Amino acid sequence: MILRIPLVFLLFLFAGHSYSQDRQNFAAPNYELIEKATKDKTSNSYYPKLLQRFKQNDTTLTAREVHLLYYGRFFQDGMANPFGGASQHIDSIRAINAKQEQTDNDRRQLMSYYLDDLEQEPFALNTLYALYATSTMLHDPTRIYYDKKLEMLVGTILATGDGKTAKSGWHVGSVADEYAILGVLGLKSVSQSLRGHCDYMALQENERGLTGVYFDIAKILEAEMKMFQPAATDEVTPQEKPGKKKK
């Protein structure tokens, strides 16, 4: 049988970082300051520098730096994918996961697919979790890095709100991450609707007594608009200058 680890078990990875609906020490991202910090080429917060450290599994990244990375994507060309990106290896991944028995070679192949996908979408929570789960089954020592990344990314999202209202909705970088956060909190949605600048997730009955939660997607909506805007053209049709008609 294939070992499948539900995303809800990520909760047990975050010892000391448990989420409480009563927490009040949250703050929405200050996007103006994030843009300024991540575009300053003279700063250690310059986005390409931070991204390189993240991809190289730098364990010295601070919570603030991960916050700048996750939300700073909106100000980087090609980084703001509102849908979270579909795996380019999806068919191959499904084929391996459909097997009744997986070999270690299968799992190593899966890891290579997930790592390849993370090159394009380095903060994709579901991909990171799949990589963590697979590397754990292989007893691969790199699993500690994926564990740490998951903990810090989930932490930075949950620190932006409490999900109770549109004003205090969790800020996410992609729609896919909304569902990942629900999984982390042991929640399941029954419907999704757009309410202003938020996605509202109506929930199945749960131990937290929540009927629904909000995700702030204002920046995702901006990114979507940019994606579907017609490409600008440099070609300008010259206007005919008035002149005397030839006789």
Side-chain angles (χ1 to χ4, degrees):
M1 293 293 292
I2 300 172
L3 177 60
R4 301 184 189 277
I5 307 176
L7 193 54
V8 67
F9 278 98
L10 279 173
L11 282 169
F12 298 102
L13 303 179
F14 306 143
H17 297 270
S18 60
Y19 167 73
S20 169
Q21 282 290 334
D22 297 324
R23 62 186 293 174
Q24 295 297 323
N25 58 334
F26 55 79
N30 186 324
Y31 288 105
E32 184 177 348
L33 292 182
I34 290 171
E35 180 177 17
K36 183 177 180 180
T38 55
K39 287 188 173 181
D40 183 357
K41 294 182 179 181
T42 65
S43 169
N44 288 330
S45 298
Y46 183 48
Y47 201 85
K49 293 180 183 178
L50 290 179
L51 184 60
Q52 182 179 27
R53 289 174 60 195
F54 186 83
K55 288 185 173 182
Q56 291 177 343
N57 299 325
D58 187 341
T59 58
T60 67
L61 282 166
T62 66
R64 176 180 178 273
E65 289 170 332
V66 174
H67 179 84
L68 291 175
L69 271 168
Y70 186 78
Y71 297 108
R73 72 170 78 183
F74 290 110
F75 309 106
Q76 315 301 317
D77 291 339
M79 288 290 293
N81 186 336
F83 308 108
S87 171
Q88 58 184 320
H89 306 291
I90 188 62
D91 291 336
S92 298
I93 291 172
R94 284 174 176 169
I96 294 176
N97 283 331
K99 291 184 176 182
Q100 290 299 312
E101 296 288 342
Q102 282 183 358
T103 65
D104 281 350
N105 283 337
D106 289 329
R107 296 182 183 112
R108 292 188 189 96
Q109 188 62 60
L110 283 174
M111 282 190 67
S112 71
Y113 291 146
Y114 297 141
L115 286 167
D116 196 28
D117 288 338
L118 285 176
E119 280 298 311
Q120 303 302 317
E121 300 288 340
F123 314 118
L125 297 181
N126 284 325
T127 304
L128 273 169
Y129 174 72
L131 187 55
Y132 169 78
T134 305
S135 60
T136 296
M137 287 186 280
L138 282 169
H139 304 288
D140 190 307
T142 60
R143 67 184 184 275
I144 63 174
Y145 300 122
Y146 315 130
D147 178 5
K148 183 65 174 178
K149 286 179 176 179
L150 282 165
E151 178 184 330
M152 296 193 77
L153 288 171
V154 170
T156 203
I157 293 171
L158 294 181
T160 63
D162 60 9
K164 292 180 179 180
T165 67
K167 187 176 181 180
S168 61
W170 293 302
H171 289 244
V172 287
S174 71
V175 174
D177 284 353
E178 296 179 30
Y179 291 94
I181 290 296
L182 290 182
V184 167
L185 298 176
L187 303 172
K188 292 184 179 181
S189 67
V190 294
S191 67
Q192 175 185 11
S193 59
L194 183 63
R195 297 189 181 182
H197 58 85
C198 285
D199 264 345
Y200 176 75
M201 297 288 195
L203 302 173
Q204 289 183 7
E205 185 176 348
N206 56 81
E207 293 181 356
R208 299 177 184 275
L210 295 171
T211 56
V213 291
Y214 292 82
F215 290 93
D216 191 306
I217 59 168
K219 283 296 179 182
I220 292 179
L221 294 174
E222 286 182 21
E224 284 183 358
M225 288 182 65
K226 290 179 182 178
M227 285 179 65
F228 295 111
Q229 282 178 347
T233 176
D234 295 329
E235 295 183 4
V236 178
T237 304
Q239 293 184 347
E240 188 177 11
K241 295 181 179 181
K244 292 183 180 180
K245 292 182 180 180
K246 292 183 179 181
K247 295 182 179 179

